[in-house]
């Protein structure tokens, strides 16, 4: 029993130092400045994150409308270019102007697919897109 105890103590001390040595190595290795405002292209600011998620949804809608044949390739390209110009603003701030621009592109997509907001009651023979 007395020869068994030093072996246990030695093994325990080795296993205890392994996590500490790896943590020290990681700390020494990652001294570079870390960007805390974005993580994997997703902003940490809630307003900016919401704007980016809404913009990604609009882009997905553009792709789906093109695949379904509801809009032409030219319309899809134009709408996607408009969405791409909004993306830097949405990533950094997510303010009201970015949300307004995203909503405008979304409305243009809805109008192009025939799902836009309509005005009137149809008594004049048809509905007309709003905008």
């Amino acid at each position: 029993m007395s020869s068994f105890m030093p072996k246990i103590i030695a093994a325990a001390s080795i296993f205890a130092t392994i996590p500490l040595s790896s943590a020290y190595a990681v700390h020494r290795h990652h001294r570079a400045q870390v960007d805390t405002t974005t993580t994997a292209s997703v902003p940490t600011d809630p307003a900016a994150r919401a704007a980016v998620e809404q913009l990604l949804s609009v882009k997905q809608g553009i792709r789906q409308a093109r695949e379904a044949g509801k809009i032409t390739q030219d319309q899809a390209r134009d709408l996607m270019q408009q969405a791409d110009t909004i993306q830097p603003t949405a990533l950094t701030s997510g303010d009201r102007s970015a949300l307004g621009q995203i909503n405008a592109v979304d409305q243009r997509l809805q109008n192009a697919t025939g799902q836009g907001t309509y005005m009137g009651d149809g008594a004049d023979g048809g509905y007309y897109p709003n905008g």
Side-chain angles (χ1 to χ4, degrees):
M1 179 89 165
S2 64
S3 68
F4 186 65
M5 195 61 130
K7 291 179 185 176
I8 291 177
I9 292 173
S13 63
I14 290 172
F15 288 127
T17 59
I18 290 173
L20 296 176
S21 65
S22 64
Y24 179 74
V26 168
H27 174 72
R28 301 254 319 151
H29 181 63
H30 287 95
R31 289 242 170 151
Q33 184 69 18
V34 177
D35 183 11
T36 58
T37 59
T38 61
T39 304
S41 298
V42 178
T44 56
D45 177 39
R49 185 177 328 152
V52 167
E53 288 175 0
Q54 185 173 358
L55 183 62
L56 292 175
S57 294
V58 169
K59 286 182 162 187
Q60 181 64 31
I62 294 169
R63 285 189 288 274
Q64 289 175 345
R66 176 62 196 126
E67 290 171 4
K70 292 186 176 190
I71 59 175
T72 66
Q73 183 67 30
D74 291 337
Q75 288 174 316
R77 185 183 59 246
D78 291 343
L79 290 168
M80 197 61 81
Q81 286 175 345
Q82 292 171 15
D84 287 340
T85 60
I86 300 168
Q87 191 161 352
T89 306
L91 279 170
T92 56
S93 66
D95 60 0
R96 289 183 189 263
S97 67
L99 292 174
Q101 292 172 347
I102 294 168
N103 283 336
V105 172
D106 185 42
Q107 186 64 44
R108 285 185 207 111
L109 173 62
Q110 290 179 20
N111 289 341
T113 60
Q115 299 174 355
T117 305
Y118 292 96
M119 297 172 54
D121 59 2
D124 55 0
Y127 292 95
Y128 299 95
N130 183 13

